Amino acid sequence: MPETQEPNSTTPAAIPGQYAEVLTDPLPPAASLDPSTRIARIQLYKEMRQKGIFVPPEHLRFAIELITLDRANKASEARKSSTSAKKASAPVGIPNIEDL
Amino acid sequence: MPNPITLPQVIDSTMLVTWRACPRKFFLSFCHNLAPAGQSVDLLFGGAVAKGLEVARKQFFIAGDSAQHAQALGINAALEFYGDFVPTEKKMAKSWEGLLLCMDGYFRHWPLATDPVKPYKNAIEFSFCLPMQALHPSGQPWMYAGRFDMIAEVDGLLHGVDDKTTGNSFSPGWSEGWALRNQFLGYTWGAQQYGLPVERMLVRGMSVLKTKCDYTQALAHFPHHLLDRWYHQVQRDLEAITRQWNEGYFDYNFGDTCSSFGGCAFNTVCSAGDPEAWLSMFARRDWDPIRQNPEVVKDAAA
């Protein structure tokens, strides 16, 4: 059973069900999660730390994968929107001087 | 209720360097105990990293835990310290997520198990507080305080170790920028007062950017003549602080200090016709040089 585990604690306490489930279930491939699920899982790890629940090494690694994917996703979206903004602001319909 | 105005008897490098930059800023920061309202993400992030490294090092070097588990405990401690703070978009590199990446990268770059930098006699988070010759207005000696992240043995020589985070890329001169740093001169002097033959500082840098974290380290050497020069200067500064306190007037800089780093937080106070009226706009804080994270903001601005 997963436990809270702090450097100075001697008696680990049981942890709430939803977090225990996350820590005992097998980890899915990070890339298989959709962006909103990735963000939700990162948020869950944040909550666990705020409640003093130890996030074990394999979950830290998983969180890092999720964050890396999330950042790559955001960068890709930013590039796309920047490209469409450039297209939208590019001058259109400039007449050929020979047509004038 | 207005803050009581007191001149602390214990001074550290941050306070002294503030004094040198602007006595008035020192007066407002450390006698009035005022700080800009709102949490500083830079201080929070740096404090979280310091807490994480302390926990990991103690767990590995003192408690004898495995490196992997000690590092995980360190990362957990850093993340807990950071809490639920959400930085502004401009400072997103120093978010909770950025802290996790930064700590993980640190241990990949300098794994505890193979790091040649090991603490000397468990001196992790080593504090000192020593009397100076100069007298505080109370008639007691001024006390100079500091806190090493670690004192370590490197290639048979004792070094002070300091971990630094920056939100910028490492400049070509980053490694050379520490030779006259008051913080490190004071640390080296302090260690020597305890009979520890520390003459060098090892500075480990973490550059925390939106897209990546970089790591580098630098060495700085502080020979005896330089420490003597530093000590002499500190005495002069402390005597000047005592003098200005006794006069009841702290000088203004009216120069670069007012405009550097995006402008001094106290510009509104220093330019106001009635400075006292502006003091309530600031948060009250408690600055304790001996604490790992010296600043605690006690309450928000009115």
Side-chain angles (χ1 to χ4, degrees):
Chain A
M1 182 186 197
E3 300 161 335
T4 55
Q5 194 169 0
E6 293 300 320
N8 299 323
S9 75
T10 51
T11 49
I15 59 175
Q18 56 166 331
Y19 305 121
E21 205 172 293
V22 162
L23 294 178
T24 46
D25 283 354
L27 288 168
S32 71
L33 302 181
D34 63 73
S36 61
T37 311
R38 288 200 296 258
I39 291 167
R41 176 59 83 96
I42 295 166
Q43 188 56 38
L44 205 66
Y45 287 132
K46 282 187 195 179
E47 288 171 21
M48 287 167 68
R49 282 322 296 143
Q50 284 158 29
K51 293 175 191 296
I53 299 166
F54 177 70
V55 181
E58 64 274 18
H59 283 268
L60 291 175
R61 276 196 300 276
F62 183 60
I64 288 165
E65 280 183 63
L66 298 176
I67 292 166
T68 308
L69 282 169
D70 186 47
R71 287 187 170 189
N73 189 43
K74 280 180 182 156
S76 157
E77 278 176 12
R79 274 195 303 275
K80 274 185 206 161
S81 65
S82 158
T83 311
S84 12
K86 273 183 194 162
K87 277 183 188 164
S89 63
V92 287
I94 297 175
N96 187 322
I97 198 157
E98 287 176 3
D99 296 337
L100 296 175
Chain B
M1 184 179 164
N3 282 347
I5 303 169
T6 55
L7 180 64
Q9 193 184 341
V10 181
I11 195 162
D12 68 358
S13 183
T14 300
M15 298 162 78
L16 192 59
V17 169
T18 303
W19 157 264
R20 288 174 185 153
C22 176
R24 179 61 55 163
K25 185 175 182 181
F26 169 88
F27 178 60
L28 293 167
S29 301
F30 302 109
C31 300
H32 274 282
N33 286 308
L34 300 176
Q39 173 88 54
S40 156
V41 66
D42 296 321
L43 284 180
L44 179 66
F45 194 93
V49 168
K51 172 51 77 181
L53 294 177
E54 177 196 0
V55 167
R57 285 169 176 157
K58 284 184 172 169
Q59 206 57 28
F60 180 70
F61 290 111
I62 301 174
D65 203 348
S66 73
Q68 191 199 30
H69 192 242
Q71 288 170 184
L73 282 172
I75 294 173
N76 271 269
L79 296 175
E80 186 171 358
F81 184 98
Y82 193 89
D84 59 358
F85 185 80
V86 179
T88 60
E89 186 57 38
K90 197 180 161 194
K91 290 278 190 178
M92 257 319 172
K94 291 188 174 178
S95 62
W96 188 96
E97 288 84 348
L99 177 62
L100 174 53
L101 297 179
C102 172
M103 292 296 296
D104 177 68
Y106 186 98
F107 291 128
R108 283 175 193 277
H109 203 83
W110 293 299
L112 287 174
T114 54
D115 193 348
V117 177
K118 300 182 192 316
Y120 172 75
K121 291 188 176 176
N122 299 342
I124 297 167
E125 292 292 332
F126 174 84
S127 311
F128 64 88
C129 186
L130 294 159
M132 306 296 282
Q133 284 169 349
L135 293 182
H136 183 266
S138 64
Q140 299 294 310
W142 277 97
M143 306 292 288
Y144 191 87
R147 189 179 177 109
F148 286 90
D149 289 340
M150 181 162 67
I151 296 180
E153 202 163 351
V154 187
D155 296 332
L157 293 173
L158 287 192
H159 288 65
V161 177
D162 198 71
D163 298 292
K164 295 274 180 221
T165 56
T166 172
N168 299 318
S169 302
F170 291 120
S171 63
W174 187 88
S175 299
E176 286 80 49
W178 311 105
L180 291 175
R181 188 177 175 85
N182 184 83
Q183 179 190 13
F184 296 158
L185 286 156
Y187 283 2
T188 309
W189 172 82
Q192 290 184 7
Q193 303 314 297
Y194 285 91
L196 299 171
V198 176
E199 287 190 14
R200 291 168 179 78
M201 288 292 302
L202 173 67
V203 192
R204 286 191 158 172
M206 290 154 257
S207 158
V208 185
L209 308 175
K210 273 187 181 171
T211 51
K212 60 172 182 170
C213 294
D214 289 327
Y215 303 85
T216 191
Q217 62 184 15
L219 282 170
H221 179 225
F222 302 99
H224 283 289
H225 75 268
L226 187 55
L227 293 179
D228 289 346
R229 192 170 295 154
W230 171 83
Y231 186 80
H232 179 69
Q233 182 58 52
V234 174
Q235 296 299 335
R236 289 179 60 84
D237 289 324
L238 295 176
E239 285 163 6
I241 296 173
T242 297
R243 196 165 51 246
Q244 293 203 11
W245 174 265
N246 287 337
E247 286 171 0
Y249 185 89
F250 282 82
D251 289 335
Y252 292 85
N253 172 275
F254 289 143
D256 288 344
T257 303
C258 310
S259 54
S260 52
F261 301 111
C264 175
F266 296 114
N267 279 355
T268 45
V269 179
C270 295
S271 55
D274 178 13
E276 294 287 324
W278 287 86
L279 300 184
S280 63
M281 301 299 291
F282 292 85
R284 291 177 63 188
R285 70 153 171 211
D286 173 31
W287 184 270
D288 181 351
I290 308 294
R291 266 199 309 255
Q292 182 178 45
N293 299 290
E295 182 176 68
V296 174
V297 176
K298 289 156 88 176
D299 52 31

